[in-house]
Amino acid sequence: MANQIKIKGEDAMITAMLDEARIVKNYLGKPKKAIKLCDEILKISPSNKDALLIKAGALGKLFELNKSDEILSFVMQRYPGDWEAYWLYAGHCFALGKDEKALEMIDKSLELRRTFDNVISKAQHLHLMGKGGYAELIAEAAKMDKKRAENFMKKHWINDLDDVKPSFWEKIKVIREVFKNDRRKQSDSSIN
């Protein structure tokens, strides 16, 4: 009985921590803090799918795609029926210009479960790739959540990648990442 109470208490604590990590990442825009929260959860529950996915998403926001992709690969192997890992990975593939792999991953995500997120993402990918079929997906997303679809189309839809202007902080993050990678390459070459 005492053990069951301990497990229920631990589950409640993890649920609260997951909720906080989601809010911190998705609404407050603080991916580093979300990663710290997820790391705390993963100390208690090392294979917690939700913590892994939140952490992978936060790493992606920090342009740490290699680390994020490692986590996503683990989640896809461990939880092959989870739509979200394939959806997140599709976004990374698309960002890296791996369009066909992105479509393969988003299609796998949609096969597992159709959600507003993966439906509207496929619409955006198809549109930016210059392929048809995106209008039907926009309509499907609007049937799922009309208000959210209207907001997405108004504030987040991208008509042309060349028109997307990164924010000042996004530029700084990219520059820092390039310098960090250059330093790593220099240190690796000096070792050899």
Side-chain angles (χ1 to χ4, degrees):
M1 182 73 164
N3 196 29
Q4 286 179 329
I5 292 171
K6 181 182 174 195
I7 291 169
K8 284 184 181 184
E10 195 171 90
D11 288 347
M13 180 181 69
I14 289 172
T15 299
M17 291 171 75
L18 287 168
D19 288 344
E20 182 180 2
R22 282 187 188 96
I23 290 168
V24 165
K25 180 185 148 294
N26 297 334
Y27 299 105
L28 300 180
K30 296 182 178 184
K32 287 182 182 179
K33 186 172 181 181
I35 290 167
K36 286 180 184 177
L37 287 164
C38 289
D39 285 341
E40 289 177 34
I41 295 165
L42 293 168
K43 286 178 187 174
I44 300 165
S45 177
S47 297
N48 186 290
K49 180 182 67 163
D50 293 324
L52 290 165
L53 289 170
I54 295 166
K55 183 175 179 177
L59 287 165
K61 284 187 180 272
L62 295 172
F63 303 103
E64 294 188 36
L65 298 183
N66 290 336
K67 290 179 184 178
S68 179
D69 288 352
E70 283 179 33
I71 293 170
L72 293 173
S73 293
F74 172 79
V75 172
M76 288 184 285
Q77 288 174 348
R78 179 99 185 220
Y79 307 99
D82 185 81
W83 69 273
E84 193 172 2
Y86 294 96
W87 168 64
L88 288 170
Y89 189 63
H92 293 186
C93 292
F94 185 76
L96 296 172
K98 299 176 183 178
D99 293 351
E100 292 310 312
K101 185 69 173 176
L103 285 178
E104 177 188 330
M105 293 293 104
I106 200 80
D107 285 341
K108 177 69 176 173
S109 176
L110 288 163
E111 177 186 308
L112 293 167
R113 182 173 170 204
R114 294 183 89 79
T115 69
F116 179 89
D117 293 315
N118 59 14
V119 169
I120 201 74
S121 292
K122 182 166 185 187
Q124 182 71 88
H125 293 339
L126 289 173
H127 175 69
L128 291 173
M129 288 178 199
K131 297 185 178 200
Y134 64 87
E136 295 85 358
L137 292 165
I138 294 170
E140 181 181 344
K143 284 181 185 176
M144 292 175 175
D145 189 333
K146 185 178 180 182
K147 197 173 214 172
R148 190 169 174 205
E150 289 170 357
N151 183 55
F152 185 89
M153 296 305 293
K154 185 177 177 181
K155 296 182 180 179
H156 303 289
W157 183 261
I158 300 168
N159 281 312
D160 184 352
L161 280 176
D162 292 332
D163 289 340
V164 177
K165 305 289 186 241
S167 71
F168 174 76
W169 290 112
E170 288 169 331
K171 290 176 187 176
I172 295 296
K173 288 177 187 177
V174 169
I175 291 167
R176 291 176 71 191
E177 189 64 29
V178 167
F179 283 124
K180 188 167 49 171
N181 287 337
D182 285 346
R183 279 186 257 143
R184 247 188 251 136
K185 287 177 186 175
Q186 288 174 356
S187 110
D188 289 347
S189 65
S190 67
I191 294 171
N192 296 330

